[in-house]
Amino acid sequence: MKRCIAFLLTVICSFTMSACSQNESASIINSDNSNLAISSEQEENTVLETKSEQNENTIAVPENFVLISGGTFQMGSPDTEPWRSEDETQHTVTVSDFYMSKYELTQKEYEDVMGNNPSNFSGEDLPVENVSWLDAVTYCNARSEKEGLTSVYTIDGQNVSWDRSADGYRLPTEAEWEYACRAGTTTAFYMENSPSAEDANYYGHYPYEIEDNYFSQGNLEVKPGEYRQITVPVDSFSENPYGLYNMHGNVSEWVWDYYGEYPTGEQIDPAGPTSGTLRVYRGGGWNDFAKNMRSAYRATLEQNKGSFNLGIRLVLNAAPGEGSVSGTGTQNTAENGNGNILIAYFSWGGNTEGVAEEIQRQTGADLFEITLVHPYSNDYNTVLDEAQRDQNAQARPELASHVEDMEQYDIVMIGYPNWWASIPMPIASFLEEYDFSGKTILPFCSHGGGRFGQSLTAIAKLAPDATMGEALSVHYSGGSELSSDVTEWLEKNSIKTN
C-alpha cells in the first residue's frame, strides 16, 4: 500500500513539474516575443531617427519654407469652369516633394541680396515686384551663393539652363505652382467659394463671375468689395491648406516654364517647353479681376520684362533631382524708328480714338480703324453685355476693315479700350488675321481704373513671334496730360516725334 501511494505521488510530481516547466517555457517564449517586438520597434525608431537626421543634414530648410508632399492631380481647368481659357487643357500630372516659401519674396529679402529695390510700391514687408524673369533667376543664384548652396541656374544672356540636382533656390515649375495653389482642391480657387476682397488682394470691384451678373448681382456668391490699388504685406489674409499665403492675388509669381500648349498625356515633374518667347507667371495680382486669379489661369510676359504686379515665390528641392533642363530664349528683336509705323485701333466711346489721333499727330504714322461687320450696340449697358459675352466665348467678330499691305509695317501700335480686364475680341480678330513675326507691337489702351488688366498677356499669346514694346495706359480720354503722356511713351520706345 505504501508503495502504491509513493508511486502515485511520484507521478503527480512529474506532471506538476512538467506543467510548471511548460508554463515557464511559455512565459519565457512570450517574454522573448515581447523583447523581440520592443527590439523591432526600437530598431524602426532608430532607422526613422537616422533617416530624419540624414534629411536634416542633407537639407537645411530655411525658416518659413514648408514641405509640399508630392502627388498626382489634374492640371488645368475643366470645360465647365467659367471664364477658363483655351490654353488650360486638363491633363494628369505627378509632382515630387518640394519645399516652398510660405510667402512671396519681400522687398527686404531682395534688397539684402541684390542691393537694390525695383518695386513700384515701397515697404520692407511688401512683396518685391517689377522684376523680370531674368532678375528672378539671377536673385535665386545670388542668394544660393550667399548661403553656401549650389546655384541652380546657368545664365548665358537670354539662355538659362536648370541643374535639377542643385540644392539652391529656384522658381517653381508651372506644375508645382498649380499643385501647391490647389492644395488638393479641384475648384477654380482653393477656397470653398471664390475669394472676396476680405480673402485676397485684387480688384475687389470685380469678384468671380461678376461679368455675367454686373447689373443684377443677386446670384453672385461673392459681392463686390474693396479695391486697394496697392500691394499688402506678404503675411496678409489666411493661408491655403498647405500653409501658403497669397497664392491668389497681391502679386503674380514667376514660374520656370516657357509658355506653350499643354501635352495631352500624363506627365511626371514636367518643366514645360525647352524654348520659347514668353515665360509664364501665375496667381494674379492686386489689380487683376478674380477670373484671372484662378488656380489654372496662365499669364505670360517676355523674360526680360517686369510689371508692377509681378513678383517671386521661392522653392527648394526636397531631394536632388536628375539631369538638367535647357532653356533657349528666342526673344524677338526689332529696330524701332519712324520708317514704317501703323496705328491700328478699335474704339467704342471715342477715348481710344482720341489717343490714336494724338499719336498720329505726333508721329505722322498711318492711321487705321478696326471696324466690325456687325458693330456693337451704341447703348452702354448693352455693349457691356455684348463685350463680356464675346470674351467668355472667345469669339472672333468679323472685321469690316482690312490692312491692304501689312508687310510694309515694322511697328504696329495697337489701341483698344480695356474691356473686362482684357482686349475686346475685335483686337483678337485683328491679331489673328496677320503675321506679326519680326514686328514690334506697341499696345496702348484707355481704361477706367484697371490699367492694362491682362490685355498684354492676351496680345502676347496671340502674337508670340512679335516683340512687345513698352505699353501705354490712358485713364479714359487722358485729359490735359494726354499729349505729354504720349510723348513720353514714344520716347521710351525710341519713336521720333514731329
Side-chain angles (χ1 to χ4, degrees):
M1 182 68 177
K2 291 181 180 179
R3 290 179 180 177
C4 288
I5 292 170
F7 175 76
L8 288 173
L9 288 173
T10 302
V11 171
I12 290 169
C13 287
S14 296
F15 276 115
T16 302
M17 291 179 65
S18 176
C20 288
S21 178
Q22 288 175 359
N23 288 338
E24 185 179 356
S25 297
S27 176
I28 292 171
I29 291 170
N30 288 336
S31 176
D32 287 346
N33 284 342
S34 176
N35 289 338
L36 285 170
I38 292 171
S39 177
S40 177
E41 184 179 348
Q42 289 174 339
E43 182 179 356
E44 183 179 352
N45 288 338
T46 301
V47 170
L48 289 174
E49 288 172 5
T50 302
K51 287 182 178 178
S52 177
E53 289 173 2
Q54 287 175 347
N55 285 339
E56 288 178 4
N57 291 334
T58 303
I59 302 170
V61 183
E63 185 181 4
N64 296 327
F65 276 66
V66 294
L67 176 65
I68 307 297
S69 297
T72 300
F73 76 113
Q74 291 298 303
M75 186 173 179
S77 62
D79 293 340
T80 55
E81 186 166 298
W83 290 95
R84 73 183 298 273
S85 299
E86 293 180 355
D87 60 0
E88 298 171 14
T89 304
Q90 267 196 329
H91 57 296
T92 302
V93 172
T94 299
V95 296
S96 302
D97 296 355
F98 61 98
Y99 289 97
M100 177 175 264
S101 174
K102 295 167 62 175
Y103 308 116
E104 296 156 336
L105 188 73
T106 66
Q107 293 178 25
K108 183 180 188 305
E109 289 173 311
Y110 189 88
E111 190 168 0
D112 284 349
V113 173
M114 304 304 291
N116 65 82
N117 183 2
S119 302
N120 184 59
F121 303 108
S122 181
E124 288 190 348
D125 59 350
L126 297 180
V128 68
E129 23 86 5
N130 205 29
V131 287
S132 70
W133 185 91
L134 289 172
D135 291 334
V137 295
T138 299
Y139 171 85
C140 288
N141 276 2
R143 180 165 170 178
S144 297
E145 293 171 6
K146 183 177 181 180
E147 297 184 14
L149 303 174
T150 303
S151 296
V152 168
Y153 303 114
T154 300
I155 304 170
D156 180 15
Q158 295 289 334
N159 301 326
V160 180
S161 60
W162 164 24
D163 178 2
R164 301 189 84 150
S165 67
D167 62 356
Y169 295 96
R170 63 178 177 85
L171 300 178
T173 63
E174 192 173 8
E176 287 172 333
W177 190 96
E178 185 171 327
Y179 179 81
C181 178
R182 289 189 176 282
T185 64
T186 59
T187 47
F189 305 90
Y190 68 74
M191 50 200 67
E192 182 177 355
N193 295 319
S194 56
S196 70
E198 285 71 47
D199 299 317
N201 183 27
Y202 69 105
Y203 203 144
H205 299 171
Y206 296 92
Y208 192 43
E209 295 191 84
I210 193 173
E211 293 84 355
D212 302 311
N213 301 274
Y214 192 67
F215 298 109
S216 179
Q217 298 173 6
N219 294 327
L220 280 177
E221 290 182 348
V222 174
K223 301 298 189 290
E226 182 182 5
Y227 175 31
R228 297 176 178 84
Q229 304 186 57
I230 192 173
T231 56
V232 296
V234 297
D235 60 353
S236 300
F237 310 108
S238 299
E239 67 270 35
N240 80 349
Y242 284 176
L244 307 171
Y245 289 78
N246 292 294
M247 293 298 282
H248 298 308
N250 209 24
V251 291
S252 298
E253 299 162 13
W254 283 115
V255 298
W256 160 262
D257 305 43
Y258 281 111
Y259 176 71
E261 291 185 7
Y262 284 150
T264 56
E266 185 172 350
Q267 290 188 299
I268 299 175
D269 290 327
T274 57
S275 64
T277 59
L278 304 167
R279 294 283 185 176
V280 178
Y281 61 92
R282 293 296 211 103
W286 59 269
N287 74 323
D288 279 313
F289 286 20
K291 65 181 180 182
N292 295 326
M293 299 196 303
R294 293 175 300 108
S295 298
Y297 180 74
R298 310 171 71 197
T300 62
L301 193 65
E302 291 174 278
Q303 65 182 24
N304 60 344
K305 289 184 169 61
S307 174
F308 50 71
N309 69 340
L310 177 52
I312 303 169
R313 188 184 298 266
L314 299 176
V315 300
L316 289 162
N317 289 343
E322 295 182 357
S324 63
V325 180
S326 63
T328 305
T330 54
Q331 302 301 119
N332 300 300
T333 57
E335 293 186 4
N336 291 350
N338 273 33
N340 301 287
I341 301 176
L342 175 68
I343 306 167
Y345 71 93
F346 170 77
S347 186
W348 179 79
N351 290 332
T352 307
E353 181 177 28
V355 178
E357 289 174 346
E358 176 60 26
I359 297 171
Q360 200 274 338
R361 186 187 68 80
Q362 293 194 29
T363 62
D366 294 344
L367 195 63
F368 175 80
E369 182 179 6
I370 300 170
T371 57
L372 302 179
V373 171
H374 303 289
Y376 289 119
S377 172
N378 291 322
D379 177 70
Y380 177 74
N381 290 355
T382 304
V383 77
L384 288 180
D385 283 337
E386 293 173 341
Q388 66 88 14
R389 174 203 66 202
D390 279 359
Q391 282 189 335
N392 201 1
Q394 288 295 293
R396 297 294 187 265
E398 184 180 356
L399 304 184
S401 54
H402 306 275
V403 179
E404 291 184 3
D405 183 13
M406 180 62 83
E407 291 185 4
Q408 68 176 302
Y409 298 108
D410 303 311
I411 301 169
V412 182
M413 300 175 176
I414 299 180
Y416 52 92
N418 175 352
W419 277 2
W420 299 108
S422 191
I423 56 172
M425 289 299 95
I427 295 296
S429 299
F430 177 81
L431 289 168
E432 289 184 345
E433 184 171 341
Y434 307 100
D435 181 8
F436 288 89
S437 300
K439 299 184 187 299
T440 296
I441 292 178
L442 304 180
F444 62 95
C445 79
S446 58
H447 67 94
R451 304 193 191 184
F452 300 111
Q454 285 293 329
S455 63
L456 302 184
T457 280
I459 292 171
K461 288 180 180 180
L462 290 165
D465 296 323
T467 297
M468 183 88 75
E470 292 293 325
L472 170 68
S473 65
V474 176
H475 192 244
Y476 292 116
S477 65
S480 60
E481 298 180 352
L482 176 62
S483 179
S484 59
D485 287 344
V486 167
T487 300
E488 182 180 353
W489 173 63
L490 294 172
E491 289 175 352
K492 286 181 180 178
N493 287 289
S494 301
I495 303 295
K496 297 178 183 178
T497 57
N498 293 331

